[in-house]
Amino acid sequence: MKTRSFFLSCALIACLLGCSSQDGDSLAAANRAYAHGNYLEAQELYQSYIQTESGGTERWRAWSRLLSICLDIRSQPQKALPIVDTMLLEFASSPQRVAELSWKRAEILTQVQDNKAAIEAWQKILDDPAFSRAQQWQAVQELYSIFQRQQRYALMRDVLAQNTALAPSPEDKLRVQYKLAQVYFLLRNYKEASHSLDDLLAQENIPAALEVQAVYLLAEIALEQGKVADARKLFLSLKGRYPNPQALRIRIDALAE
């Protein structure tokens, strides 16, 4: 009886060891397939590992490889979203991984042009102190670009005006000021646009290219206000500095008295 129990115990241990070895072999095979570019095989093996090893120590790597195959190899961002969402649930206890996945999710939503969801995702990043100032500044740029595509000028103005302090350098702040002037111009608020540009041009160490852009926009504002002589004078001041001399000459000639 004892002999039988001994052999049964040995058989059970062998089975457990065999199963563990098989799982390890499966993950190793997945890694080999991935390294050799056999991505379909690797995808199937990583999925198998995730399904069978609920407490596996390599689940983050397996999930990350699945995500990489979907995004970087097969260019299927739409199919990557469920992967990211599932990872967010599984790794919710790790702030670092949640932040990494939240950023990836915002990028994917932007890529697939799910504008409403992308705006919400970037706004959460912007409001979350877990992200660096550099990351939050990037979130501002992403939100601005989405609003720009949608021609939602008031929201373009708000996202810049409310987050100017995040600009990483004095030059970036000057560029924000110019962008705000552009938005005010699009909103037909010429008074605020002119005020912003005048203040910009009064700053020290303004980049030459940005100064040219600011003067050109002031000329456009003058035209919109019917101040043709002022507009022509401003355009003339750009001779020798504007990057497209022919286009500038056409504008000046069209305003000849």
Side-chain angles (χ1 to χ4, degrees):
M1 187 72 175
K2 289 183 179 179
T3 303
R4 183 183 178 189
S5 297
F6 172 77
F7 281 117
L8 285 173
S9 297
C10 289
L12 179 59
I13 292 171
C15 179
L16 290 173
L17 288 174
C19 291
S20 177
S21 175
Q22 186 177 6
D23 291 334
D25 289 345
S26 176
L27 183 60
N31 291 334
R32 285 195 299 272
Y34 185 90
H36 287 89
N38 300 323
Y39 299 116
L40 182 58
E41 180 185 355
Q43 185 177 34
E44 293 173 351
L45 289 168
Y46 284 128
Q47 287 172 339
S48 176
Y49 173 81
I50 289 169
Q51 290 167 1
T52 57
E53 288 292 298
S54 59
T57 59
E58 295 294 321
R59 289 180 65 81
W60 172 259
R61 174 179 289 188
W63 274 117
S64 298
R65 288 284 172 83
L66 280 178
L67 186 59
S68 176
I69 291 170
C70 206
L71 279 177
D72 306 324
I73 308 301
R74 306 183 71 179
S75 299
Q76 296 176 324
Q78 197 68 256
K79 292 184 178 180
L81 278 172
I83 296 176
V84 173
D85 289 337
T86 305
M87 291 175 74
L88 278 166
L89 290 173
E90 179 167 335
F91 301 103
S93 61
S94 171
Q96 182 178 353
R97 286 176 173 173
V98 167
E100 180 181 337
L101 291 167
S102 296
W103 186 274
K104 181 65 68 177
R105 185 173 184 272
E107 288 183 324
I108 294 171
L109 288 168
T110 303
Q111 186 177 351
V112 300
Q113 296 187 4
D114 186 344
N115 291 326
K116 182 179 179 181
I119 289 168
E120 292 176 357
W122 288 118
Q123 189 62 55
K124 284 181 180 178
I125 288 172
L126 188 55
D127 297 336
D128 190 343
F131 291 92
S132 68
R133 287 174 61 89
Q135 288 175 312
Q136 290 180 327
W137 178 244
Q138 182 60 39
V140 170
Q141 307 309 305
E142 297 290 348
L143 285 168
Y144 181 86
S145 295
I146 294 171
F147 294 145
Q148 187 176 40
R149 289 195 298 271
Q150 296 177 322
Q151 297 185 335
R152 300 170 74 178
Y153 304 132
L155 291 176
M156 290 166 62
R157 174 200 61 203
D158 293 344
V159 74
L160 288 178
Q162 293 167 8
N163 298 285
T164 302
L166 291 172
S169 70
E171 184 173 325
D172 285 309
K173 288 184 179 180
L174 292 176
R175 295 190 185 284
V176 169
Q177 195 167 347
Y178 174 73
K179 283 186 175 182
L180 277 170
Q182 285 183 307
V183 175
Y184 282 124
F185 177 78
L186 293 169
L187 289 168
R188 299 183 182 278
N189 188 340
Y190 302 129
K191 180 178 179 180
E192 284 296 333
S194 297
H195 175 74
S196 184
L197 291 169
D198 288 338
D199 184 59
L200 173 62
L201 290 168
Q203 301 297 315
E204 295 181 359
N205 301 321
I206 178 174
L210 188 59
E211 181 184 3
V212 169
Q213 289 177 298
V215 173
Y216 193 94
L217 185 54
L218 274 175
E220 294 282 9
I221 293 170
L223 277 180
E224 291 294 328
Q225 294 176 319
K227 302 175 182 178
V228 177
D230 289 344
R232 190 170 190 275
K233 183 178 179 180
L234 287 165
F235 282 133
L236 282 169
S237 73
L238 294 176
K239 291 185 71 174
R241 295 190 293 160
Y242 193 70
N244 189 336
Q246 183 176 359
L248 181 64
R249 185 171 61 253
I250 291 171
R251 298 302 301 272
I252 292 171
D253 292 345
L255 299 176
E257 298 178 352

